[in-house]
Amino acid sequence: MRFEDVGKWDEDHDVIVVGFGAAGGVAAIEAHDAGADVVLLEKMGFPGGLSAISAGGIRVSDDAEAAFEYLKCTCGGRTPDDLLRDLAEAMVELPEYVRGLAEVNGATVQVTPAVGNYPFPGYTALGYCEVSEVPELEDGRQYYATSATTNGTRLLKVLEDNIARREVPIRYQTAAKELVTDASGQICGLIAERSGKTIAIRSRRAVILTCGGFENNADMQRQYLQMGELRPTSFRGNTGDGIAMAQAVGADLWHMWHVHGPYGLHDPSNEYPFAFFHKAIPMWTPGHTGSVSNLGIEEAAETGAPRKTLAKLAWILVDRDGRRFMNEYPPYPGDTGLRPFDLFDPLKQGFARRPAYMIFDENGRKMYPMGYAAWNDDQASYTWSKDNLDEIDRGIFRRADSLEDLAEGVGVPVEQIRETVEEWNACVGDGIDSRYGRRAETMVRIDNPPFYYGEVGPVVINTQGGPRHSRLQQVLSPFDKPIFRLYAAGELGSVFGHLYMGGGNLAECIAGGRTAGREAAALEPLVQAQENTSQLV
């Protein structure tokens, strides 16, 4: 929208921050501390976005050069080195910064060594910084609309208390809709919607977009992802608003294909709107066979940390032809677990692995809850049963008294199901998955009826794509020119363009939010001229 079409401003601030997750919280704090008058807009009625329901591990390092080498491999040549070097250097500084924020409410911050998810150069120089305790949250109370208190929840509480101490206003249920530009193309405000009313908010210095990705925008997924629509796991507020607003003023986009997520289950009644995660399982790093708590073998030995075995998975996955097609327990299930589903079969004109089927037996049913739900939402909730019987009654899983019944339910010849199950049991007996390399300690026989099966598919935790940005977090045009007075940080236009680094989004939320907040506050303010243009004071 052009400035002359606004009419009158309903509010006036130096800096507008759009979206109250980790990036937005940090950006608001930094802009305020740099002397700016800041307002924080949040479209939902509660804070946190995905940050509040994350595990809360912020990726850090004690060696910026090693972290840079790791980031280069993780991003696969799709992100400029200077941005990755800045993030690597910030990863060294983040623990001290988070400790400073934690003083507001007496929170405990801990840093632990944790090798990278993949054995790239520099992977042993990484760790996690976490807000592990916030006195006010340790009595079991719920933090707004989150399903459980996690270290991500604790991080958001630290940010919220810092914002409250600074008296930065938060406008909940206020959805940013469109950016406003002046005659020279600079961003000078935005149009938002609150309680069904359209409002215009002027920004004298800048707008910072920190409103996440497009996990809950089916149309964007169909346009940008080969596999099409994905079910989100935890939060309905990320609908690509920042992407659309940035595009409308000329932003270039990057990493739009890159989504972060596992395979998961769903409620066939759709009463629970999000995907269910499968059983939480430890990540592991190839080459570190004793690594389960993200400590490598050597690091675990040096620190005295326990070296547990990996979790046993009671199930296998089969495609629509009744055949296994992947390692059900990859090193980082939450990163690449969804990728094997993205296979289009031109002979059948469809995706051969959508849906796929999760198969287990009675022994497996009794082992543990097969899934769980996690949300940041004021309307959704679900508690998974300990014995999986509620999920069978609900239709998430179906019972088959024999392999013949199982084959009929999956819709394949019984000979194929029998061949798949017998081959799998032989692999378990040999301790070698000759097809897909699943680790032996995770393998479990499937031979005690009744059998169970349920539809599984790729699900999205978060997307990485969005407006491309500079080292200063300025949103860039396709011609590599900054869109003046517009910044982006966090998941919106993430630097990750190939593989994800566990804890990486939180690291760039804080690092990018700091930069965007400082840079936005440092701009000379615009003033409104009578001829409906903007000019410097």
Side-chain angles (χ1 to χ4, degrees):
M1 177 180 286
R2 293 295 297 271
F3 171 78
E4 56 264 29
D5 298 324
V6 172
K8 66 180 283 291
W9 299 108
D10 297 290
E11 292 189 37
D12 194 296
H13 302 275
D14 286 334
V15 175
I16 305 170
V17 180
V18 181
F20 184 11
V26 171
I29 290 166
E30 290 297 308
H32 172 276
D33 289 358
D37 165 33
V38 184
V39 66
L40 181 53
L41 310 185
E42 171 53 55
K43 70 185 289 187
M44 309 303 283
F46 48 88
L50 287 173
S51 302
I53 201 62
S54 72
I58 306 162
R59 267 298 180 183
V60 296
S61 179
D62 58 4
D63 184 334
E65 187 61 33
F68 170 61
E69 293 299 325
Y70 187 86
L71 285 168
K72 283 203 300 183
C73 293
T74 300
C75 290
R78 293 177 169 93
T79 307
D81 283 357
D82 55 357
L83 270 72
L84 298 182
R85 191 173 290 281
D86 286 348
L87 177 57
E89 292 174 355
M91 287 165 61
V92 176
E93 303 170 356
L94 286 179
E96 181 179 357
Y97 179 74
V98 174
R99 289 188 183 102
L101 293 176
E103 293 176 1
V104 71
N105 56 20
T108 300
V109 176
Q110 64 180 22
V111 177
T112 56
V115 298
N117 307 111
Y118 308 103
F120 298 145
Y123 78 121
T124 60
L126 303 178
Y128 283 122
C129 174
E130 299 174 85
V131 179
S132 58
E133 183 177 342
V134 176
E136 191 175 335
L137 294 182
E138 305 312 314
D139 59 0
R141 80 180 66 178
Q142 185 179 20
Y143 181 76
Y144 290 97
T146 56
S147 55
T149 297
T150 67
N151 287 346
T153 305
R154 295 179 176 97
L155 172 63
L156 255 295
K157 176 61 174 171
V158 165
L159 296 178
E160 182 187 27
D161 288 352
N162 274 276
I163 289 168
R165 174 167 291 184
R166 290 163 172 79
E167 298 183 347
V168 173
I170 304 172
R171 306 280 190 257
Y172 287 112
Q173 296 181 319
T174 303
K177 295 295 185 180
E178 189 174 0
L179 294 164
V180 179
T181 58
D182 69 5
S184 66
Q186 300 182 82
I187 304 301
C188 60
L190 58 77
I191 304 301
E193 186 176 287
R194 182 190 302 150
S195 302
K197 178 183 177 183
T198 298
I199 59 174
I201 307 176
R202 180 182 173 219
S203 58
R204 290 185 292 265
R205 298 179 190 268
V207 172
I208 305 175
L209 300 175
T210 59
C211 43
F214 58 100
E215 301 87 72
N216 210 42
N217 187 316
D219 184 61
M220 278 190 174
Q221 291 172 3
R222 286 190 292 267
Q223 297 302 326
Y224 289 114
L225 309 178
Q226 173 179 274
M227 68 181 78
E229 185 175 350
L230 300 176
R231 189 179 292 261
T233 57
S234 305
F235 182 62
R236 71 178 83 218
N238 286 356
T239 54
D241 306 341
I243 296 171
M245 286 190 289
Q247 280 184 293
V249 295
D252 190 20
L253 302 182
W254 65 359
H255 307 156
M256 292 298 289
W257 71 275
H258 188 194
V259 296
H260 170 58
Y263 58 86
L265 299 142
H266 73 279
D267 179 3
S269 73
N270 287 319
E271 291 178 10
Y272 182 74
F274 302 120
F276 295 114
F277 292 94
H278 59 67
K279 171 184 163 53
I281 53 179
M283 296 179 287
W284 58 281
T285 302
H288 284 262
T289 56
S291 171
V292 293
S293 60
N294 260 351
L295 289 174
I297 297 174
E298 296 83 4
E299 290 79 12
E302 290 172 4
T303 61
R307 287 174 53 191
K308 307 172 186 175
T309 58
L310 292 183
K312 289 186 178 296
L313 284 195
W315 65 86
I316 59 172
L317 300 181
V318 301
D319 61 17
R320 290 163 61 185
D321 293 324
R323 297 181 175 93
R324 284 184 72 221
F325 60 90
M326 67 178 289
N327 177 354
E328 295 87 353
Y329 196 154
Y332 187 4
D335 179 23
T336 58
L338 82 174
R339 294 194 186 188
F341 294 80
D342 191 11
L343 177 67
F344 183 81
D345 185 340
L347 296 179
K348 297 181 178 179
Q349 298 85 51
F351 288 87
R353 301 163 180 176
R354 296 190 70 179
Y357 298 91
M358 178 175 168
I359 294 174
F360 54 96
D361 67 4
E362 181 70 358
N363 292 338
R365 180 191 68 77
K366 296 176 179 178
M367 283 179 65
Y368 41 57
M370 291 288 179
Y372 70 97
W375 63 85
N376 186 18
D377 192 271
D378 59 356
Q379 300 174 43
S381 64
Y382 187 85
T383 301
W384 197 280
S385 68
K386 293 182 179 180
D387 56 11
N388 302 295
L389 292 178
D390 288 351
E391 288 65 42
I392 294 168
D393 290 342
R394 200 178 184 95
I396 297 170
F397 298 121
R398 295 182 176 89
R399 174 178 168 139
D401 290 324
S402 64
L403 289 180
E404 288 78 9
D405 290 343
L406 177 60
E408 182 179 354
V410 174
V412 300
V414 66
E415 293 79 13
Q416 181 57 61
I417 282 292
R418 183 173 287 113
E419 177 185 323
T420 297
V421 172
E422 288 178 355
E423 180 181 299
W424 170 251
N425 288 334
C427 289
V428 177
D430 294 340
I432 298 174
D433 177 9
S434 56
R435 286 192 181 271
Y436 301 106
R438 184 164 144 184
R439 282 176 49 168
E441 66 267 43
T442 74
M443 297 162 62
V444 176
R445 291 180 63 85
I446 299 173
D447 59 6
N448 182 32
F451 303 100
Y452 301 92
Y453 64 98
E455 290 188 6
V456 299
V459 302
V460 56
I461 296 174
N462 66 299
T463 59
Q464 305 295 338
R468 187 165 62 93
H469 63 77
S470 72
R471 295 177 65 184
L472 301 181
Q473 304 295 137
Q474 300 161 300
V475 174
L476 300 175
S477 78
F479 303 103
D480 209 32
K481 302 295 184 183
I483 297 172
F484 199 45
R485 302 184 183 275
L486 182 63
Y487 296 81
E491 177 193 352
L492 180 64
S494 165
V495 300
F496 294 103
H498 173 48
L499 293 167
Y500 180 64
M501 176 178 68
N505 279 145
L506 283 180
E508 67 175 335
C509 280
I510 298 175
R514 292 181 73 187
T515 298
R518 291 194 300 258
E519 292 297 320
L523 295 174
E524 291 293 328
L526 289 164
V527 294
Q528 199 168 304
Q530 290 182 351
E531 60 271 23
N532 282 337
T533 62
S534 295
Q535 61 187 21
L536 294 176
V537 172

